[in-house]
Amino acid sequence: MDTSERLDGRALSYIGIALVTWSSAYAAIAYALASFTPGEVALARLAIGSLCFGLLMLLKRIPLPARRDWPQLAMLGVIGLTTYHLCLNYAETRIASGTAAILISLVPAATAAVSAVWVGERLSARTLAGLGVALVGVVMVVLASGKQVKFEPMAALVLLSVLACSIYFVGQRPLFARNSMVGVTAFTFFAGTLATLPFGWQLPQALQTAPWSHIAALLWLGISPTFIGYLAWNAALRRASASQVSSFIYFSPPIAVLIGWLWLGERPGMLTLVGGVITVGGVVLANARRRAAPALAAVSEPT
């Protein structure tokens, strides 16, 4: 497989929606963890997302994926949703947010590696160089944020989240060719939610004693970063390669800094701005494509 797909305007808009909603999740997770365990936060988030996907499928009369794909989709749901959210939530109870931001930013590189091994996606030297440049920019943004960056054993859980997320991104994409994108995403959420039940089985009791503001944080996590974010992200994955789309995850820390500037008045320093520019340049370089010779005929894939 070659990374010849071009990111069109619609794919970029989907990516933008996903990144903005995902960037708001970190604060909501930290807020909800004051009243709920990491397992309860993961279960609530995935259950709300599953409910939203189920309602969408009923309203739009979207069928479930083909039965032959159910085992693979169930595996992807457990790996990419259950494992990812549990590991990230548990890690955030122990490590600094700056540490988590740096490690999560390894997702594009990990996705590129998984794509090369799993689906034979060939990555150019320009793409690899762009991923490296963008990672340098992300590190600069995080280090300039003024937050403590201290690596400890619990950080290994974030690395596991990175691998789980990469497998999820790459494994779904081939299934979009013969199934509805919404159906594929919904099925992984159904499986991921069921696998999270043993870790959050006391959620009903916790909801009875938690303040409404913390419950609202769970609702926000389930609807915005989870339902809307994953729906938009997978819509982008349907239109371009996993390595191309995942490279935009490098924008997440700069977006978080921008949100803090606009909402909290946390004005970024010069190093943060320089790091943001380097990140943008790296993503542009990673997604740049040589101009191909004009073809005699073009066959478009039906949408």
Side-chain angles (χ1 to χ4, degrees):
M1 179 179 175
D2 193 5
T3 58
S4 57
E5 300 100 327
R6 286 183 178 273
L7 287 165
D8 56 16
R10 184 174 295 181
L12 290 173
S13 65
Y14 291 148
I15 292 171
I17 292 171
L19 289 180
V20 170
T21 56
W22 283 352
S23 296
S24 69
Y26 295 100
I29 290 173
Y31 195 67
L33 285 174
S35 293
F36 304 98
T37 67
E40 291 166 353
V41 172
L43 174 59
R45 180 175 182 177
L46 294 180
I48 294 170
S50 293
L51 179 60
C52 292
F53 277 111
L55 291 175
L56 179 62
M57 292 182 70
L58 287 176
L59 293 175
K60 296 290 186 180
R61 297 183 178 179
I62 299 172
L64 287 171
R67 286 183 178 271
R68 60 174 176 169
D69 294 328
W70 286 13
Q72 182 176 346
L73 286 171
M75 178 194 70
L76 290 173
V78 173
I79 294 175
L81 296 174
T82 306
T83 302
Y84 173 82
H85 289 292
L86 284 174
C87 289
L88 182 60
N89 290 352
Y90 277 105
E92 284 199 15
T93 64
R94 297 288 300 276
I95 67 174
S97 59
T99 303
I102 289 178
L103 294 176
I104 288 296
S105 296
L106 294 173
V107 166
T111 301
V114 172
S115 295
V117 173
W118 192 343
V119 298
E121 183 178 333
R122 294 190 297 272
L123 302 174
S124 66
R126 180 184 301 180
T127 297
L128 294 175
L131 293 175
V133 170
L135 180 59
V136 171
V138 168
V139 172
M140 291 178 63
V141 170
V142 174
L143 292 178
S145 66
K147 298 178 181 178
Q148 182 184 13
V149 178
K150 180 181 178 181
F151 291 91
E152 55 180 84
M154 188 63 75
L157 287 177
V158 185
L159 294 178
L160 186 57
S161 292
V162 168
L163 179 60
C165 185
S166 303
I167 293 173
Y168 182 71
F169 289 163
V170 177
Q172 284 187 112
R173 190 169 185 268
L175 302 179
F176 293 153
R178 57 178 180 265
N179 297 289
S180 161
M181 182 274 295
V182 174
V184 167
T185 309
F187 195 97
T188 61
F189 266 83
F190 299 155
T193 302
L194 290 176
T196 314
L197 283 173
F199 302 92
W201 61 276
Q202 290 186 323
L203 178 61
Q205 292 87 339
L207 288 171
Q208 294 177 5
T209 59
W212 169 246
S213 58
H214 294 171
I215 297 176
L218 293 181
L219 292 173
W220 174 262
L221 279 172
I223 296 173
S224 182
T226 305
F227 173 61
I228 297 176
Y230 277 92
L231 188 63
W233 189 260
N234 284 349
L237 278 177
R238 188 177 182 273
R239 305 179 70 87
S241 70
S243 62
Q244 277 182 294
V245 177
S246 66
S247 67
F248 285 84
I249 291 178
Y250 284 129
F251 281 135
S252 187
I255 290 175
V257 171
L258 179 60
I259 292 175
W261 186 8
L262 296 177
W263 287 1
L264 305 176
E266 298 175 346
R267 187 171 183 177
M270 181 57 65
L271 184 59
T272 300
L273 296 176
V274 172
V277 171
I278 292 176
T279 301
V280 172
V283 174
V284 171
L285 178 62
N287 288 284
R289 295 289 181 269
R290 287 193 179 94
R291 184 172 297 176
L296 296 177
V299 179
S300 61
E301 180 183 344
T303 58

